[in-house]
Amino acid sequence: MEFALLNGEIIERSEAKVDVEDRGYQFGDGVYEVIRIYNGKMFTIDEHLKRFVKSADSIGISIPFTSLQLLEMLEELLIKNKLETGNIYMQVTRGISPRNHLFPTGNVEPTLVAYTIKGVRPLDSLKSGVKAILTEDLRWLRCDIKSLNLLGNLLAKQKASEEGCFEAIQHRGQDVTEGSSSNIFIVKDGSVITHESNNLILKGITKDVILELCTKNNIQVQERTFSLAELEEAEEVFLSSTTAEVMPIIEIDGKKIRAGVPGPINKKLQELFEKEIEKQCGLLVDKV
Ligand code: PMP
């Protein structure tokens, strides 16, 4: 039997239902997190909980549990679902209220949901790399909030998929921002470059782990905006996310990067990233 967390209670997943007037359902009025599980343990959980609270705060939703309570409930959910490798999906919305653009007044409790999804590491893609397309970034100007409103991201990802690609690299004019569900990195003159964490991108937790690994291992990093021209001339390109880890990009809009072979800095970072997973979650059986 599978279980889900609904407003502080762990119940049978098939029983976890929300009302048609939940504001998450009607407006996407809420925020979410995806947390990676290796060996039954949560990777970078403190960072995910912090970002969850920060996203909620930034749209005026007050999560009715402390981070410690959330942590304990998620741990219980993992144990009940016997999840070894996969993800936890968690979201909070502004709650249930008669449909109105204005925030509800009075005591409307946020709706908090979490459940687990089984899923192995994408080892084949991590080894051989993935293809991407370029697309104009059509999203709003608060991409730093991990909002349930993902239409811009969905349209970009769908377009990529229809062109046989894994990811859409978004740009605002000549400036590269981020992927539809990932952060984007280039290597230039041996230096790792990725967009600074401002309102135009999500401050990826995997991105921050990678930046720290670079600093600790004497790999030069620059957090700054880079251009489409720099992307085109890059020595290496890769993306990062909770589920895709450190993923080589080997082709963009049909043009191969490094003749379609993942680069040395990308490979080194994959190795360091696996060590970081093992530090937090125990030994990995299969590695890149
Ligand atoms: N940017 C966007 C738009 C995303 O959806 C994601 C995936 N959550 C990321 C970046 C990467 O963030 P993280 O490393 O925290 O998964």
Side-chain angles (χ1 to χ4, degrees), residues 21-169:
E21 284 196 313
D22 188 276
R23 291 178 62 92
Y25 180 61
Q26 294 192 327
F27 298 116
D29 186 3
V31 298
Y32 75 105
E33 278 298 325
V34 177
I35 300 151
R36 193 77 179 125
I37 312 303
Y38 301 100
N39 298 327
K41 297 197 179 69
M42 294 181 263
F43 183 63
T44 53
I45 181 61
D46 292 346
E47 290 82 354
H48 282 284
L49 288 174
K50 251 185 233 152
R51 188 171 68 184
F52 190 51
V53 173
K54 193 169 171 214
S55 290
D57 272 354
S58 66
I59 60 167
I61 292 179
S62 165
I63 298 170
F65 302 99
T66 64
S67 291
L68 183 61
Q69 284 172 322
L70 285 176
L71 179 67
E72 286 171 356
M73 292 187 294
L74 294 180
E75 272 170 352
E76 195 186 333
L77 181 67
L78 273 187
I79 291 167
K80 287 200 97 156
N81 282 346
K82 301 184 181 68
L83 186 73
E84 279 291 306
T85 310
N87 306 314
I88 293 180
Y89 178 82
M90 172 165 68
Q91 73 168 45
V92 65
T93 75
R94 205 178 302 279
I96 300 159
S97 179
R99 189 178 184 281
N100 186 333
H101 284 45
L102 291 173
F103 292 0
T105 50
N107 279 343
V108 174
E109 278 287 295
T111 308
L112 190 132
V113 172
Y115 60 92
T116 59
I117 306 140
K118 284 200 183 87
V120 294
R121 298 178 62 213
L123 284 171
D124 288 346
S125 301
L126 285 169
K127 279 181 197 143
S128 51
V130 294
K131 298 176 186 174
I133 59 160
L134 292 173
T135 191
E136 186 69 36
D137 195 335
L138 301 175
R139 302 171 305 158
W140 69 332
L141 297 174
R142 288 305 306 273
C143 297
D144 52 319
I145 301 171
K146 204 161 167 57
S147 156
L148 295 180
N149 277 284
L150 288 173
L151 259 186
N153 309 59
L154 306 189
L155 293 175
K157 191 77 156 193
Q158 182 64 25
K159 190 170 162 201
S161 175
E162 283 167 9
E163 294 184 30
C165 292
F166 176 77
E167 182 58 301
I169 301 174

Side-chain angles (χ1 to χ4, degrees), residues 175-284:
D175 293 341
V176 175
T177 51
E178 63 178 343
S180 71
S181 61
S182 63
N183 293 114
I184 303 292
F185 296 72
I186 59 169
V187 176
K188 181 179 180 179
D189 302 326
S191 201
V192 170
I193 305 171
T194 189
H195 198 286
E196 66 270 38
S197 290
N198 61 13
N199 64 310
L200 298 181
I201 66 157
L202 183 75
K203 185 174 163 59
I205 287 166
T206 320
K207 170 191 175 200
D208 282 351
V209 171
I210 292 169
L211 291 180
E212 205 179 311
L213 289 173
C214 285
T215 307
K216 279 189 186 152
N217 291 278
N218 298 318
I219 301 169
Q220 297 279 332
V221 285
Q222 295 173 42
E223 261 191 290
R224 65 159 173 88
T225 309
F226 58 89
S227 66
L228 285 173
E230 286 182 290
L231 177 68
E232 196 176 328
E233 289 160 10
E235 290 145 29
E236 299 182 33
V237 183
F238 53 94
L239 62 81
S240 75
S241 81
T242 294
T243 51
E245 300 181 4
V246 194
M247 179 78 76
I249 295 178
I250 50 155
E251 193 179 302
I252 301 174
D253 278 350
K255 280 175 70 180
K256 286 204 168 35
I257 300 156
R258 296 179 47 84
V261 181
I265 292 186
N266 189 160
K267 284 193 172 158
K268 175 79 185 160
L269 286 169
Q270 288 183 325
E271 203 183 297
L272 294 168
F273 193 78
E274 284 183 332
K275 283 197 185 128
E276 188 58 36
I277 296 172
E278 293 192 321
K279 226 159 86 182
Q280 295 189 29
C281 303
L283 293 185
L284 291 167

